């Protein structure tokens, strides 16, 4: 991970779960991090913890469904740290879980605003700066749901499929300009999201025993590895952590 030392990153959804673990992991690798989420009190506490441990971290309040707030988070990284090397498009939601016939159209649309538009907004705001410097890495949080169908998850499956499409389109447009973009499909991870899934009681994922989940820290280690050149072969694809070979490549086992 030596090559990450001195880089800069914006991590969306960094107030808890995979995003918070990724901010800590990247900071441990010497990356200066911007933690972006709606709950500033939580991102502030994590940023303070990183700074006290000798890292560099700044918390910004950011709702990824608002383009101006996402653009401001990217600008903050450039203003404070001089450049943006890494974007982790991690913010995402799964609630409310409901069958299509019972779903609330407004809430369904809000998931599109966060899970799809939020990722597009990150790409739109970061790519021009990355293109002008001729380098950059973007990790989009995907899911097995991008390729599968699960009862009660139409909003989540449809939006993660769209994220995979954004990963492919970005790779097509930006690879020749030095930008590496990879999706991460982590499998099930022990975060608040899985607590909500379990409480729903809908579909087989809600029936999983919590011991089946990997930790947020493991996902974060994989994300840090995906930010290195060693992961270049996965550009434009979803990298699945369910695959044992991939776990080995990422140094997790
Ligand atoms: P989590 O524990 O529920 O955390 C979600 C994060 O997203 C929080 O930091 C939350 O912060 C942020 N967020 C939600 N809405 C936001 C918004 N509008 N603007 C900015 N930030 C927002 O979930 P997680 O498990 O860490 O999930 C992280 C990513 O991994 C998601 O994209 C998820 O789909 C993906 N993923 C998770 C699993 C799993 O099993 N956990 C599996 C596959 C993929 P605030 O509420 O403070 O804004």
């Amino acid at each position: 991970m030596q090559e990450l030392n001195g880089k800069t990153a914006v991590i969306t959804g960094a107030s808890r779960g995979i995003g918070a673990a990724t901010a800590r992991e990247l900071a441990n690798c010497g990356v200066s991090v911007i933690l972006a989420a709606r709950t500033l009190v939580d991102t502030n506490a994590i940023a303070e913890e990183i700074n006290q441990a000798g890292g560099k971290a700044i918390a910004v309040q950011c709702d990824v469904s608002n383009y101006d707030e996402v653009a401001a988070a990217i600008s903050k990284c450039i203003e404070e740290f001089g450049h943006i090397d890494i974007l982790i498009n991690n913010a995402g939601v799964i609630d409310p879980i409901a069958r299509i016939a019972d779903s609330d159209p407004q809430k369904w649309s809000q998931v599109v605003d966060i899970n799809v538009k939020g990722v597009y907004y990150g790409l739109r705001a970061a790519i021009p700066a990355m293109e002008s410097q001729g380098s950059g890495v973007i990790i989009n949080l995907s899911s097995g749901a991008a390729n599968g169908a699960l009862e009660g998850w139409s909003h989540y499956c449809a939006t993660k499929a769209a994220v995979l499409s954004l990963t492919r389109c970005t790779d097509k447009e930006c690879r020749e300009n030095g930008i590496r973009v990879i999706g991460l499909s982590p499998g099930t991870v022990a975060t608040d999201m899985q607590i909500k899934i379990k409480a729903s009681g809908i579909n087989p994922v809600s029936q999983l025993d919590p011991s089946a989940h990997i930790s947020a820290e493991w996902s974060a280690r994989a994300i840090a590895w995906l930010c290195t050149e060693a992961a270049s072969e996965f550009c434009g694809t979803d990298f699945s952590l369910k695959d044992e070979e991939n776990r080995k490549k990422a140094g997790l086992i």
Side-chain angles (χ1 to χ4, degrees):
M1 301 297 177
Q2 196 59 34
E3 74 183 73
L4 298 182
N5 193 23
K7 304 272 187 199
T8 69
V10 172
I11 302 131
T12 68
S15 61
R16 60 178 186 269
I18 297 169
T22 301
R24 291 186 175 103
E25 179 68 26
L26 290 178
N28 275 339
C29 296
V31 179
S32 302
V33 291
I34 299 284
L35 293 92
R38 294 169 300 184
T39 318
L40 193 57
V41 64
D42 290 342
T43 45
N44 261 334
I46 299 161
E48 192 162 322
E49 174 200 311
I50 291 171
N51 289 326
Q52 277 179 1
K56 279 192 201 151
I58 297 170
V60 297
Q61 191 158 31
C62 170
D63 182 336
V64 296
S65 66
N66 179 317
Y67 178 69
D68 291 342
E69 292 184 21
V70 177
I74 302 291
S75 296
K76 185 82 176 167
C77 184
I78 296 167
E79 279 160 31
E80 297 288 336
F81 302 141
H83 42 104
I84 172 157
D85 300 310
I86 298 167
L87 169 64
I88 311 295
N89 264 325
N90 165 76
V93 293
I94 198 160
D95 43 318
I97 292 169
R99 298 177 74 250
I100 294 170
D102 308 321
S103 59
D104 176 324
Q106 241 179 337
K107 288 180 180 160
W108 205 102
S109 299
Q110 177 65 15
V111 175
V112 175
D113 289 345
I114 296 170
N115 290 8
V116 184
K117 292 188 195 169
V119 170
Y120 159 72
Y121 291 159
L123 298 170
R124 175 63 185 87
I127 287 173
M130 290 179 170
E131 284 193 328
S132 66
Q133 71 202 17
S135 65
V137 179
I138 301 167
I139 307 300
N140 293 330
L141 264 289
S142 185
S143 163
N147 293 301
L150 282 153
E151 185 189 356
W153 285 23
S154 64
H155 56 336
Y156 194 72
C157 295
T159 55
K160 290 300 182 182
V163 171
L164 173 55
S165 181
L166 285 170
T167 297
R168 291 176 174 144
C169 292
T170 308
D171 180 59
K172 186 135 294 220
E173 293 183 8
C174 302
R175 188 190 284 223
E176 67 184 22
N177 295 324
I179 298 174
R180 301 197 304 270
V181 56
I182 304 176
L184 173 66
S185 179
T188 61
V189 188
T191 65
D192 285 4
M193 187 174 278
Q194 283 298 336
I195 293 170
K196 286 170 187 152
I197 291 167
K198 187 146 218 48
S200 75
I202 302 179
N203 84 39
V205 185
S206 73
Q207 305 305 315
L208 289 175
D209 189 87
S211 64
H213 308 324
I214 64 166
S215 69
E217 288 70 27
W218 248 48
S219 311
R221 280 173 54 198
I223 288 171
W225 179 77
L226 287 173
C227 291
T228 69
E229 284 194 20
S232 297
E233 67 179 292
F234 298 104
C235 286
T237 70
D238 271 0
F239 176 85
S240 172
L241 268 188
K242 280 190 161 178
D243 182 324
E244 195 161 319
E245 274 306 305
N246 283 351
R247 289 183 180 194
K248 279 187 199 152
K249 281 189 178 167
L252 301 179
I253 49 172

